[in-house]
Amino acid sequence: MNQKPFLFSLSLILIFLKTTVNAASFSVGGGVGVGVGVGGAGGWVGGGVSYPNPSSSPVSNLKNAYIALQAWKSAIKSDPNGLLNSWVGSNVCGYKGVFCADPSDEMGDPSEPVVAGIDLNHGNLEGILVKELSLLTDLSLLHLNSNRFSGTIPQTLKDLYALTELDLSNNLFTGPFPVTILQIPNLLYLDLRFNSFSGPIPQDLFNKNLDAIFLNNNFFSGEIPRNLANSPASVINLANNKLTGDIPINFGYSSPKLKEILFLNNQLTGCIPQGIGMWSDVQVFDASFNSLMGHLPDTISCLEDIEVLNVAHNKLSGELPELVCELRSLLKLSVAYNFISGFSQQCAKLYDKNVGFDIALNCIPGLAMQRPEPDCDSVPGGGLSCLRVPSIRPLACGTLLQRLNASAP
């Protein structure tokens, strides 16, 4: 493998990845559009900046880029904003949305420019991705959100070994999960949300060294792979799909990097695993609008950095644990539309702390805005057995979880 493009792509990560991942933080809403090649980019040129015509010197990488981009342009049926009007001639570094960089070779000497980034976000382009894109071997960023690209993902994309960020959100892609993406060796950021992908989520996704995984607002179905805990990602969004089954029992024994995990609006059943308390740094946990049952695990009290805890619109029962209401960083706690039977005075104090606390439509006697009594006569999941190890808080956040971690698969 040619090491020069790979080393160059690593330098791009340091410049751009911080901006991109932070900018993604990390809503269920529209696709993320991250500008590349804007300000402080060192050797970046493009988006209308003139560069010496590559035909005047033997620059093979730019010649390959010309072949790839012209093949792609010919496969784009509609360009209502005229985004590709500048894609004429061999000076690809002057194409709008194409960003070049001047890497240095192993000796530190200037080398020929390369196409290192493509940002066509919000272009409203209609077309497909072509196999010739694999010629862009120095490409580090490919951002295509909010267009009308359709069809499937070319198998040749696996050859983009310098690619670290791939954003295909808000398009019209269909078919099963594009497993060829998992063969891109250095990918860190994957955004497939707001498309029409369907079928199961492959297990290999959570074995890949990704920092951000956005699969929300598709039609993925089947169970969540059992190796979810293997993922080192800081953000995982599986919301608004058709996933079934339970949350994997080893969920929680994942990387301490995890900050946000979203399961909302699927068809999940079973219990919330006790291992959730292993995430000392998690800030957002949203499993609302599912059919989860059983009691909330006491280990949620270990989530001292949690800001949003949303388990509304499920079939949870039992009392709301007092320790959960004492979480110091809470900004929103919603257990609405469940079968919760009681809560402590400590939970009532949340109203005085400007915490968005919603406990409406449960089964708490004497409290306003609760379910009618007949609804509470038969609590769903009464026979459901959740793995729970009773303990006081020091054990729940320390010794107990160490023991659980040691026995986890």
Side-chain angles (χ1 to χ4, degrees):
M1 179 185 296
N2 183 356
Q3 294 297 316
K4 178 165 56 178
F6 177 68
L7 293 173
F8 167 63
S9 71
L10 291 180
S11 69
L12 287 180
I13 296 172
L14 298 176
I15 298 173
F16 296 103
L17 187 57
K18 182 187 299 184
T19 301
T20 303
V21 174
N22 287 343
S25 183
F26 279 116
S27 67
V28 184
V32 176
V34 181
V36 294
V38 181
W44 284 77
V45 297
V49 177
S50 179
Y51 204 84
N53 193 316
S55 62
S56 63
S57 61
V59 184
S60 61
N61 49 15
L62 290 186
K63 289 181 179 179
N64 283 336
Y66 173 76
I67 295 170
L69 295 176
Q70 288 300 315
W72 192 15
K73 180 181 178 182
S74 68
I76 293 177
K77 301 176 183 177
S78 176
D79 178 14
N81 300 327
L83 187 63
L84 306 185
N85 288 347
S86 64
W87 286 31
V88 178
S90 56
N91 181 23
V92 296
C93 293
Y95 290 6
K96 188 172 183 179
V98 176
F99 299 91
C100 292
D102 292 322
S104 297
D105 64 19
E106 290 83 351
M107 302 301 294
D109 296 324
S111 184
E112 68 270 14
V114 297
V115 172
I118 295 177
D119 185 349
L120 300 177
N121 288 345
H122 304 282
N124 200 22
L125 298 169
E126 179 184 359
I128 61 172
L129 304 185
V130 296
K131 67 181 187 327
E132 287 85 357
L133 290 173
S134 64
L135 295 174
L136 302 172
T137 54
D138 295 282
L139 192 68
S140 180
L141 314 174
L142 181 57
H143 293 167
L144 303 178
N145 87 51
S146 301
N147 285 284
R148 290 177 288 151
F149 290 113
S150 60
T152 56
I153 311 303
Q155 292 286 329
T156 54
L157 252 61
K158 69 180 186 300
D159 297 328
L160 297 180
Y161 55 82
L163 193 67
T164 60
E165 299 183 17
L166 179 61
D167 184 353
L168 303 179
S169 61
N170 287 301
N171 279 285
L172 303 173
F173 292 111
T174 57
F177 184 98
V179 291
T180 188
I181 287 175
L182 303 182
Q183 300 177 51
I184 301 174
N186 295 296
L187 194 65
L188 296 175
Y189 176 96
L190 176 61
D191 193 344
L192 301 180
R193 58 183 150 179
F194 290 95
N195 279 285
S196 295
F197 292 114
S198 59
I201 296 173
Q203 179 173 300
D204 287 347
L205 174 66
F206 299 116
N207 291 329
K208 191 164 178 64
N209 188 32
L210 292 167
D211 184 64
I213 300 172
F214 293 94
L215 303 186
N216 54 286
N217 296 83
N218 279 281
F219 298 96
F220 290 118
S221 59
E223 295 190 351
I224 299 172
R226 301 294 94 181
N227 66 331
L228 173 67
N230 291 358
S231 176
S234 60
V235 177
I236 300 175
N237 193 336
L238 306 179
N240 301 313
N241 280 289
K242 296 183 176 182
L243 299 172
T244 56
D246 57 6
I247 299 173
I249 194 170
N250 63 351
F251 172 70
Y253 305 102
S254 53
S255 166
K257 291 174 56 181
L258 188 66
K259 299 292 185 184
E260 303 188 15
I261 179 77
L262 294 98
F263 297 110
L264 70 111
N265 198 24
N266 279 285
Q267 300 166 23
L268 300 177
T269 56
C271 309
I272 296 177
Q274 191 169 28
I276 184 176
M278 292 294 291
W279 289 326
S280 57
D281 295 327
V282 73
Q283 297 171 352
V284 176
F285 176 80
D286 193 333
S288 59
F289 291 91
N290 282 286
S291 296
L292 300 171
M293 300 181 186
H295 299 183
L296 281 173
D298 288 340
T299 53
I300 288 181
S301 64
C302 303
L303 306 180
E304 295 190 350
D305 289 334
I306 191 86
E307 297 176 359
V308 176
L309 176 57
N310 189 353
V311 292
H313 292 267
N314 279 287
K315 300 177 181 180
L316 300 169
S317 57
E319 293 194 0
L320 181 61
E322 179 176 343
L323 293 174
V324 172
C325 298
E326 293 178 346
L327 290 167
R328 63 186 182 187
S329 300
L330 267 181
L331 299 176
K332 176 182 178 180
L333 171 61
S334 181
V335 294
Y337 291 86
N338 280 287
F339 292 84
I340 303 296
S341 57
F343 71 111
S344 71
Q345 189 61 34
Q346 190 65 38
C347 295
K349 293 179 181 178
L350 292 176
Y351 294 113
D352 300 325
K353 297 180 180 179
N354 294 321
V355 172
F357 180 42
D358 190 355
I359 198 167
L361 291 168
N362 278 281
C363 295
I364 302 175
L367 192 66
M369 297 182 63
Q370 299 297 294
R371 292 179 180 272
E373 276 191 28
D375 290 358
C376 299
D377 289 343
S378 178
V379 176
L384 182 68
S385 176
C386 297
L387 174 61
R388 297 287 187 258
V389 182
S391 64
I392 59 175
R393 180 170 183 168
L395 286 177
C397 295
T399 306
L400 170 64
L401 293 185
Q402 290 175 7
R403 186 163 67 246
L404 289 174
N405 191 33
S407 61

